[in-house]
Amino acid sequence: MEFSEKEYIVPFFVENDFFRKKCKKCGKFFWTQDRTVDNCMEAPCCEYTFIHNPPTNRHYTLDELKEAFLKFFERNNHTRIQPYPVIARWRDDLFVTIASIADFQPFVTEGITPPPANPLVISQPCLRFIDIDNVGLTAGRHLTIFEMGGAHAFNYPDVKIYWKDDTVRYHHKFVTNVLGIDTENVSYKEGIWSGGGNAGPCLESCIGGLEVATLVFMQYKVVNDKYVDMPIKIVDTGYGMERFTWLSQGTISGFEAIYGSILDKIMHIAGLVDIDERLLIESVKNSALMDAVTISDRMILRKSVANKLAMDPIELDKIMVPIEGAYGIADHTKALVFMLAEGALPSNIKIGYLTRLLIRRTYRLLRLLGIENQFLDIVEMQINHWSKSFPHIKDMENEILEALIFEEKKYRDTLKRGMNLSKRIAKEIKSKGKTEIPIKTIIELYDSHGISPEIVRENVKSEGIRLSVPDNFYSLVAQRHTASTISKRKEITVDFELEKEVSNLPKTELLYYDDPYQTEFKAKILKIVNTPASGKCVVLDRTAFYPEGGGQISDSGTFLFDNKQMDVFSVQKIGNIVIHHVKSDYLVQGVEIIGKINWAHRLSLMRHHTSTHIIMGAVRRIVGEHAWQAGAQKEVEKSRLDVSHWKRITPKQLTNIEKMANSQIMTNLPVEVLWMPRDKAVQMYGFRLYQGGVVPGAKIRIVKIGDWDVEACGGTHLRRTGEIGLLKLLQTERIQDGVERITFASGFPALKYVQETEQAFRNVSRILNVPVNDTLKAVKGTSEELKEVRREVDRLKYTLAKFETEAMLRQAKEIFGIKLVLRLIKGADVDYLIKMAGFLVEKEPKAVTVICNVNETVKIVVMVGEEAVKIKVNAGKIANEVAKIVGGGGNGRADFGQGGGVKVDEASKALKIVEKVVKNQILGSEEEVI
């Protein structure tokens, strides 16, 4: 969609003699007071003019520039609000905060909740991975992490704040009056902005070749690729804090302006000193002339610069690549600090995948500079620097560093595996007569094994194998994972026929929220629906039955009508309608029924759900604040809680979590349930509210357990923690990389588990004939005795194997000077067979030993002596041929092979073909032996 000229004409332009022109380079329209200019004043349509020539009235640090911006808008009646997290936990369609407007989507932009202030101003840290391959190459135009200054106004049909004209006036006043930039140096390029489901015309502010701000007039909602008018017209301005800082300092690149002493230290550690400034200036100016500098563009850029400086482009590239790597390290380590401080732990899915991608890309850049051992030192510098403005980063320092130490070790292991794996793949490709690894394999190596294209290239070079990797490989992978693993609402099977049947019914009154202890109620049947997918379903005007949702299974119980009792076995919710699944032919639409909840079932679920919140609070206090809920399922007999953590929870930590959780139960804390406006709840309790995921609605239900835990939650809970009685943690398991699952029981199921465990312990003490208190000591003693018995059995097996070996060799058949030893054994273990075969070939190097062990299946062990191997006898091939007879397969080396099959009756027949197989191998014949 294109917008007409009238969308961009504002009184400010007319009053101040701005001209609308068309850029001769890009063809876009722009507004300027400079009659002579013929381009839009943004690279690549023009060069940077501010390098060593800043147009501002003074140099600003990033903090100073940010404060000047915020104070300017505060003076102009905007309320300053604190930045949101970089991990967008209030969104179910986005992992990271990509712009300041993302803070207010979808709840404010869709009119669900009011904004925290109106108008408001914020400086919001943002993350973007789409341009990660260009970070460093474009001298600061592309960053993974940056701060977006947002001045936002929300115009409602009945409340107007300000719109296009004032937006432009505010911007122009800021850049000219505050920053002191000449008005003729500012241009406004017309454009279209779209993101987060909203869109509108925009003006891009360009100064000295650099786009520094985008003024968006958000007035449409994007529905099925069509623009639909929004009732709320939103001023969405994005001021690039880092770009304005770069502009004000006129440094060679934006990284010097942003990172200052941190970058100096990285460059010094890497030995990047005494660099000819002309190389840097010309490289930066030339990078401005490309939309995005890819690896392919890089050499074009190098040649252009090298021609100006009369030097070899290859030599120039050798100088610039490490410098650009240092820029990338500065950017990536800052981004990692912010992500890890908010609990975005590295893993193979969702936000964790992006964290891991960034860690491994950083490590690759550090290796390029030969300073990978300085990784943590650089991260510590970043923590110390940025925690001055963001104190929570310092609070998380130990957890950030511990997570990186653990991940770095994993990556070192990955590099070792990668070396062997990539070489093996190279040999396979070479054996097929090919010389290039396909891109699909490269992506699989990175996604499944974490092995980067650079590592693969390094390891396969000696094999003469090439890689064809897209220049924007990391951007593509990041974008692919962001799109494919984006946090969506859980997909459930929907009965569309049922959904249609109940769509016009009034909202069900939810009695379980009024009183979760209510076990009986009266209600009217509004509709009875019977569908093939769902069976018989009943809709009431009101219900105390809790429907499945939020990780909690539904209530069960009965309906009473006309002296008959009908089971309610499952309950679900479609929109605002609660559906009861029943098995009965007696119910009639319009009648009144009595509903009875299965109280034991409900009470156990309430105990488990409240326990989940208590355990989560204990996990954070024992494991660390980085731990977030990654999933939960509340059931009657036991429940589970999934938490993010980079390594296994230790037995000691688990004991402490259990002790701490039970302490909160015994303290008998009050469990408060509050309905609060979303914005007020977030202001009061923070984004930890979204521990269990995003919850819909203008008002959200808050469950607060004393000062221990507070979450947005829709489940049923107890009134006090003491009603749980007992909580027992049953086990932990690693369900995926970066996620620990804690299984637990509460109330009577917990007591049952303890009693069963105690009874099992008593049974052991009875079997060992010792007092209960001495059981552990007795078990240890018995264990040691058992180990000694096993050692004695092994010694006897050794003696027996040697004895049997002598007898087997005497019975061996000789062919072509080879001693053929064949043996059918029943019920022996494989280790014994291998030991026996080993003795045979050790004693007789010309022996070929084939042993079949028959049990429920057939196990085959083949060993070939050293002399027999020399005349082409192959154990692995013998094992395969013998295994075919018993309905299986086998393989192995020339001297050792194994196989097996299921046809136990064919074992004797299988041994009979061995002689022919060996003869064929010695003679080089491929004659069929079966």
Side-chain angles (χ1 to χ4, degrees):
M1 180 176 182
E2 290 188 4
F3 296 109
S4 64
E5 179 183 345
K6 69 177 182 179
E7 291 283 3
Y8 303 97
I9 298 175
V10 294
F12 175 79
F13 288 157
V14 177
E15 293 167 15
N16 292 279
D17 296 324
F18 274 78
F19 301 93
R20 187 175 189 253
K21 294 187 172 187
K22 188 173 184 179
C23 178
K24 287 188 175 180
K25 296 284 184 70
C26 67
K28 291 184 179 179
F29 288 98
F30 66 100
W31 296 80
T32 178
Q33 289 177 315
D34 188 345
R35 292 175 179 270
T36 64
V37 72
D38 61 1
N39 65 72
C40 62
M41 298 168 66
E42 181 191 9
C45 298
C46 68
E47 290 187 356
Y48 293 150
T49 60
F50 64 92
I51 305 296
H52 286 347
N53 182 35
T56 54
N57 52 17
R58 53 163 285 202
H59 291 186
Y60 289 85
T61 65
L62 180 56
D63 282 341
E64 289 170 342
L65 193 289
K66 185 165 60 174
E67 193 59 27
F69 166 78
L70 292 168
K71 281 184 175 177
F72 167 79
F73 278 96
E74 280 184 307
R75 289 194 300 270
N76 286 277
N77 302 315
H78 289 64
T79 300
R80 182 193 299 210
I81 67 168
Q82 292 302 307
Y84 281 42
V86 295
I87 308 303
R89 299 191 190 274
W90 63 95
R91 302 282 296 262
D92 64 359
D93 61 339
L94 207 61
F95 287 139
V96 296
T97 308
I98 58 171
S100 59
I101 193 63
D103 298 348
F104 314 110
Q105 292 171 318
F107 302 113
V108 176
T109 58
E110 292 185 7
I112 297 170
T113 62
N118 198 12
L120 62 82
V121 64
I122 185 173
S123 184
Q124 175 62 48
C126 300
L127 291 165
R128 286 188 190 171
F129 288 86
I130 192 169
D131 296 314
I132 193 169
D133 289 289
N134 288 317
V135 173
L137 296 178
T138 55
R141 262 193 303 144
H142 296 96
L143 301 169
T144 308
I145 185 165
F146 57 94
E147 286 195 54
M148 180 178 287
H152 300 287
F154 303 87
N155 297 283
Y156 296 87
D158 56 340
V159 179
K160 308 295 181 186
I161 307 300
Y162 67 83
W163 193 226
K164 295 179 183 177
D165 187 57
D166 283 332
T167 302
V168 178
R169 289 179 191 274
Y170 283 138
H171 173 272
H172 208 77
K173 190 175 179 181
F174 172 68
V175 298
T176 56
N177 292 8
V178 176
L179 301 184
I181 297 170
D182 191 316
T183 185
E184 289 193 353
N185 287 339
V186 186
S187 75
Y188 294 89
K189 186 166 69 169
E190 297 176 5
I192 300 171
W193 181 90
S194 180
N198 302 117
C202 69
L203 290 166
E204 297 170 0
S205 166
C206 305
I207 302 169
L210 190 64
E211 180 193 336
V212 290
T214 305
L215 315 179
V216 178
F217 309 107
M218 191 186 291
Q219 58 197 73
Y220 300 105
K221 185 176 176 66
V222 183
V223 180
N224 297 324
D225 296 325
K226 293 182 179 179
Y227 286 1
V228 179
D229 276 315
M230 290 170 57
I232 307 172
K233 309 298 183 188
I234 301 169
V235 172
D236 169 25
T237 61
Y239 289 67
M241 297 290 95
E242 285 83 0
R243 290 193 178 193
F244 271 115
T245 303
W246 182 15
L247 189 77
S248 79
Q249 293 186 25
T251 50
I252 292 172
S253 83
F255 296 97
E256 281 86 2
I258 301 163
Y259 294 99
S261 61
I262 293 176
L263 181 63
D264 290 342
K265 288 173 184 174
I266 294 172
M267 299 282 272
H268 179 75
I269 293 167
L272 300 172
V273 294
D274 299 327
I275 297 163
D276 188 342
E277 197 174 82
R278 293 177 308 148
L279 305 183
L280 300 176
I281 292 173
E282 290 300 329
S283 293
V284 170
K285 285 185 174 181
N286 271 267
S287 74
L289 303 180
M290 296 184 181
D291 280 323
V293 180
T294 63
I295 296 167
S296 298
D297 292 333
R298 194 177 79 199
M299 287 316 296
I300 299 172
L301 174 67
R302 301 291 192 245
K303 287 176 184 176
S304 175
V305 174
N307 287 339
K308 289 182 182 179
L309 301 174
M311 66 181 297
D312 181 6
I314 302 296
E315 289 303 312
L316 176 62
D317 193 58
K318 288 179 181 177
I319 295 169
M320 290 303 301
V321 165
I323 294 169
E324 291 158 350
Y327 292 161
I329 290 166
D331 169 270
H332 293 359
T333 48
K334 178 188 176 183
L336 284 171
V337 163
F338 275 72
M339 293 176 78
L340 290 168
E342 293 183 14
L345 301 183
S347 71
N348 289 330
I349 62 166
K350 298 184 179 179
I351 181 61
Y353 182 90
L354 299 178
T355 308
R356 175 162 288 165
L357 180 147
L358 202 57
I359 290 173
R360 295 187 170 183
R361 194 169 191 276
T362 304
Y363 196 78
R364 181 180 67 80
L365 293 173
L366 289 162
R367 285 184 76 219
L368 175 72
L369 272 60
I371 58 171
E372 58 264 46
N373 60 333
Q374 300 292 318
F375 191 8
L376 296 180
D377 293 334
I378 294 168
V379 169
E380 281 192 85
M381 284 193 289
Q382 297 277 24
I383 291 170
N384 291 332
H385 182 81
W386 299 108
S387 61
K388 295 167 189 172
S389 300
F390 302 92
H392 72 282
I393 290 173
K394 192 67 177 176
D395 296 338
M396 294 294 290
E397 180 172 16
N398 291 338
E399 291 177 53
I400 292 168
L401 295 174
E402 191 178 342
L404 286 174
I405 289 168
F406 191 80
E407 185 67 12
E408 186 181 10
K409 182 181 181 300
K410 286 184 74 172
Y411 190 47
R412 288 179 188 273
D413 294 339
T414 295
L415 293 179
K416 291 176 186 174
R417 288 198 314 272
M419 186 181 298
N420 297 326
L421 185 57
S422 52
K423 283 185 176 180
R424 190 165 75 240
I425 289 171
K427 285 178 181 176
E428 288 175 7
I429 288 172
K430 200 171 181 180
S431 68
K432 295 175 183 176
K434 297 179 180 179
T435 59
E436 186 173 315
I437 299 178
I439 186 62
K440 183 181 177 182
T441 303
I442 296 168
I443 291 173
E444 186 182 336
L445 282 169
Y446 188 81
D447 266 359
S448 302
H449 304 282
I451 304 165
S452 70
E454 294 79 15
I455 294 170
V456 177
R457 185 180 284 114
E458 192 178 303
N459 289 318
V460 303
K461 195 186 297 181
S462 60
E463 299 290 334
I465 299 295
R466 294 180 293 105
L467 275 74
S468 181
V469 184
D471 293 333
N472 58 341
F473 176 81
Y474 291 99
S475 300
L476 286 174
V477 170
Q479 194 173 4
R480 176 170 167 261
H481 271 264
T482 301
S484 64
T485 61
I486 211 159
S487 181
K488 294 178 180 175
R489 298 186 192 280
K490 184 180 178 183
E491 291 184 14
I492 58 174
T493 304
V494 177
D495 182 345
F496 292 106
E497 185 180 346
L498 176 61
E499 190 173 37
K500 184 179 178 182
E501 287 286 340
V502 302
S503 61
N504 294 322
L505 295 178
K507 178 181 177 180
T508 308
E509 183 184 350
L510 308 178
L511 300 176
Y512 53 80
Y513 280 158
D514 297 335
D515 180 9
Y517 289 78
Q518 182 177 352
T519 60
E520 188 173 313
F521 66 98
K522 291 181 179 179
K524 181 182 178 182
I525 297 178
L526 298 182
K527 192 163 189 175
I528 299 171
V529 181
N530 200 336
T531 70
S534 300
K536 181 159 284 189
C537 303
V538 176
V539 180
L540 307 174
D541 62 340
R542 59 209 300 262
T543 187
F545 282 90
Y546 180 84
E548 182 175 1
Q552 179 176 323
I553 64 171
S554 75
D555 284 334
S556 62
T558 57
F559 285 164
L560 297 178
F561 169 68
D562 194 21
N563 295 319
K564 294 183 177 65
Q565 180 172 296
M566 292 135 277
D567 289 338
V568 178
F569 61 89
S570 178
V571 188
Q572 71 177 114
K573 196 176 182 189
I574 298 179
N576 291 318
I577 310 299
V578 177
I579 311 292
H580 306 77
H581 295 266
V582 299
K583 290 181 180 177
S584 172
D585 295 324
Y586 299 111
L587 294 173
V588 181
Q589 187 169 310
V591 303
E592 185 178 77
I593 59 94
I594 296 173
K596 287 191 174 183
I597 306 297
N598 180 336
W599 176 241
H601 178 100
R602 160 73 73 80
L603 181 58
S604 187
L605 288 173
M606 289 165 69
R607 283 173 170 152
H608 280 94
H609 204 145
T610 302
S611 295
T612 302
H613 290 219
I614 293 172
I615 294 169
M616 192 64 235
V619 168
R620 289 203 312 275
R621 289 164 174 83
I622 299 295
V623 170
E625 284 296 320
H626 63 270
W628 281 74
Q629 182 175 314
Q633 182 67 30
K634 281 74 76 173
E635 296 182 359
V636 175
E637 291 298 318
K638 62 182 179 180
S639 295
R640 61 172 171 78
L641 170 66
D642 301 338
V643 298
S644 57
H645 186 44
W646 55 76
K647 59 183 177 181
R648 295 303 312 270
I649 293 175
T650 66
K652 184 178 179 181
Q653 287 175 325
L654 196 66
T655 298
N656 289 337
I657 291 166
E658 183 178 78
K659 189 183 295 183
M660 190 175 280
N662 276 291
S663 173
Q664 302 310 307
I665 292 169
M666 287 184 277
T667 305
N668 199 24
L669 296 172
V671 181
E672 300 174 75
V673 177
L674 316 163
W675 285 93
M676 296 182 69
R678 179 184 295 276
D679 56 322
K680 301 298 181 189
V682 170
Q683 286 174 25
M684 185 173 291
Y685 299 117
F687 289 95
R688 276 281 180 188
L689 281 178
Y690 299 123
Q691 188 74 245
V694 182
V695 289
K699 282 191 170 184
I700 57 178
R701 187 169 178 267
I702 305 299
V703 176
K704 184 176 182 293
I705 302 176
D707 293 326
W708 183 254
D709 183 80
V710 59
E711 297 179 31
C713 178
T716 54
H717 285 271
L718 303 166
R719 292 193 181 110
R720 301 192 75 91
T721 60
E723 295 175 57
I724 293 170
L726 174 68
L727 185 152
K728 182 65 187 169
L729 303 187
L730 308 181
Q731 68 172 46
T732 64
E733 58 181 315
R734 197 72 164 170
I735 60 166
Q736 66 187 48
D737 195 19
V739 178
E740 285 279 279
R741 172 166 290 172
I742 300 172
T743 304
F744 65 94
S746 295
F748 284 112
L751 179 62
K752 180 183 175 184
Y753 175 83
V754 171
Q755 289 176 332
E756 287 177 350
T757 304
E758 184 181 336
Q759 186 57 50
F761 200 67
R762 289 183 183 279
N763 290 341
V764 172
S765 74
R766 191 161 44 249
I767 291 167
L768 295 175
N769 196 28
V770 295
V772 172
N773 292 342
D774 294 335
T775 303
L776 186 60
K777 183 179 177 182
V779 168
K780 285 181 178 177
T782 304
S783 176
E784 289 302 319
E785 289 174 11
L786 185 59
K787 287 178 183 176
E788 183 55 40
V789 169
R790 283 175 178 161
R791 284 193 286 269
E792 182 60 29
V793 168
D794 285 341
R795 284 194 290 270
L796 290 171
K797 280 184 178 180
Y798 180 86
T799 304
L800 181 61
K802 289 191 76 172
F803 177 78
E804 286 201 60
T805 297
E806 299 286 345
M808 289 167 72
L809 277 174
R810 287 194 295 271
Q811 297 169 12
K813 183 175 182 179
E814 192 167 317
I815 56 168
F816 298 111
I818 296 298
K819 289 198 172 183
L820 200 58
V821 180
L822 309 177
R823 190 69 181 268
L824 182 67
I825 297 177
K826 292 186 178 180
D829 64 75
V830 176
D831 287 340
Y832 177 67
L833 301 184
I834 292 172
K835 193 170 287 185
M836 186 187 297
F839 283 141
L840 281 163
V841 296
E842 184 182 339
K843 188 171 182 65
E844 176 51 75
K846 293 181 180 179
V848 174
T849 304
V850 182
I851 303 173
C852 282
N853 180 43
V854 178
N855 207 331
E856 292 179 359
T857 59
V858 181
K859 300 291 184 185
I860 301 159
V861 173
V862 183
M863 278 200 180
V864 175
E866 187 180 345
E867 294 301 317
V869 170
K870 290 178 182 178
I871 58 171
K872 308 297 184 185
V873 180
N874 187 293
K877 292 180 180 178
I878 294 171
N880 188 45
E881 293 294 336
V882 173
K884 286 179 183 177
I885 302 296
V886 293
N891 54 40
R893 306 186 304 265
D895 61 339
F896 176 68
Q898 290 189 88
V902 295
K903 297 179 180 178
V904 293
D905 294 337
E906 301 292 319
S908 297
K909 181 182 175 183
L911 284 175
K912 289 176 183 177
I913 71 159
V914 174
E915 182 177 341
K916 191 167 187 180
V917 172
V918 173
K919 282 182 180 178
N920 286 347
Q921 288 183 351
I922 295 170
L923 298 173
S925 169
E926 296 184 3
E927 182 183 343
E928 181 70 44
V929 295
I930 298 176

